[in-house]
Amino acid sequence: METEVRLGELLVQDHEKLTEVHARSLDLLENTGIHFYSERARAILAGAGAQIDGDIVKMPAQVVESALAKAPAQFTLHAREPKHDLVVDGRQTYYSQDGCAAHTVDFETGARRASTKADISAMALISDYLDAVDIVSPTVSAQDVPPEGIVVHELEACFLNSGKHVLTESVTSAREAQAQIELAATLVGGKDELRKRPIFSNFVCTISPLTQDHGGIEAALEFADAGVPVGIYPMATTGVTSPVTLAGTLAVANAEVISALALLQLASPGAKVFYSGGPATIDLRTGAYTATSPEAIWLRTMIAKMAGFYGVPSIVGAGATSAKLPGAQAAWENALSFVFPSLAGASVLFGLGLLDGSNLLTYEQILLDAEIGSMLNRLFSGVDFGDAAFALPLVKELGPGGVYLDQQHTVSHMRQALALPRIADRDSYDEWHHKGQLDRVTVARQKVREILASHQAPALPDATRRAMAEVVEAYSRP
């Protein structure tokens, strides 16, 4: 019996195999069970008919499937500047900064150091400027602020430096979720308004294999109850926290996601949720975490496909090249990791701007990754097939050997028909030589300096800034 399935087949003819993944995951949930360390979560699941044995919850298929059916197929990711609102409906892939790195290559000194809140502010400002970056995220960890308030400091830095939607992660308790909800509410006029226009979203990570983090799940319940979109994000690593085989890892990761999404729908029916994930592999020579291996890209592509199978939006981990410097390796790994989840219908790609497996920030990388995103946006955007686009009257008028450069049709349509790069070199060799023979990393670095010196985020009223600072201060106390 043939059991091998190729990615191309899954991209175009997938229902039977995705149904098999679903069935295998339901088998795990009903017969093996999953750790839910949150007593609140266990009580909700028990009330729906799940079997509880200590911290292990066994979930019948009917409980899972009926709950998942309540999740909305689309919703809007609002922004404090409404022009940046994003409709998540399966028709477009949006790009987000990567997040939570611990180290930064200092932009001025070049020294590798611990990341700070100022790095988050700078990256939010750069991303606010870049058209290809749709969603801002705390790219690094703010290690210079009180640990009790780190997640609210990070969200504040994003809100102050960008008018775009913000996506947060690494929220590990109900208190931290409440802090972010309260901070966002100060910007939009209260919690009722935040429910109508959630200007940020979040995802929480599972603990593979088959474990839901106590604090993360309690945070997810808070977000869902407040109307803030929330995703469940497994980071299973093949051969370490999941089977070394890709199908086995997919079944485990899927079980983790759908068990938590079912919980959220039971607690808050109709809650805005993302099917999410960033599974990875190990390097067989060193044991190193690898997010951009062919197998990791396959797994992340399947995260997008499974989200489509369940009819909910997705956040897919992308990027996170193993390269330590901007350059060729980062380019090919990140480009491939963006392409295939996009083809699979990912709603949000979470992964612009970091190196070393999402552990290292260099400011230049966000511009280089955004260049890839811009190209893919053009490739996957709609192409006009109307009469004006076919331009048959003009083709007939000019006939064989015609020249189109001086035609009004060219002038009228050229900016919509042809995209321009921000970083890529298209000069002649002589022009490139005359301009200093600059490589693209140097050009990106120059652009970063220009953005940081001149770009300004949309202003906030002084009263709003003070209210935000009060929330941050309150939640930063031990």
Side-chain angles (χ1 to χ4, degrees), residues 259-397:
S259 62
L261 294 187
L263 167 70
L264 297 177
Q265 294 304 319
L266 290 168
S268 301
K272 304 178 186 71
V273 293
F274 291 101
Y275 186 112
S276 311
T281 62
I282 59 168
D283 185 280
L284 292 176
R285 298 163 298 187
T286 65
Y289 166 91
T290 309
T292 48
S293 66
E295 297 82 10
I297 294 171
W298 187 95
L299 286 165
R300 292 170 179 220
T301 301
M302 294 307 297
I303 293 292
K305 293 302 293 184
M306 292 307 301
F309 175 82
Y310 293 113
V312 295
S314 59
I315 298 172
V316 180
T321 174
S322 296
K324 311 306 185 287
L325 296 169
Q329 181 181 343
W332 79 61
E333 290 184 345
N334 284 357
L336 287 171
S337 77
F338 296 165
V339 166
F340 289 98
S342 297
L343 288 170
S347 304
V348 176
L349 290 186
F350 180 78
L352 275 64
L354 295 181
L355 300 165
D356 192 19
S358 293
N359 285 316
L360 181 65
L361 167 66
T362 66
Y363 286 18
E364 300 92 331
Q365 189 62 41
I366 188 72
L367 273 80
L368 301 171
D369 286 345
E371 192 85 341
I372 300 170
S374 293
M375 293 184 71
L376 293 179
N377 274 335
R378 182 65 188 102
L379 277 168
F380 297 142
S381 64
V383 172
D384 187 359
F385 263 49
D387 289 343
F390 276 108
L392 291 190
L394 179 61
V395 175
K396 293 174 181 178
E397 176 188 339

Side-chain angles (χ1 to χ4, degrees), residues 63 95 226 284:
V63 171
Y95 289 86
L284 292 176

Side-chain angles (χ1 to χ4, degrees), residues 19 69 77 99 102 125 142 200-201 230 256 357 370 405 409 415:
T19 300
L77 301 178
L125 189 66
F200 83 106
S201 52
V230 59
E256 293 170 9
L405 189 60
H409 181 274
R415 295 188 185 279

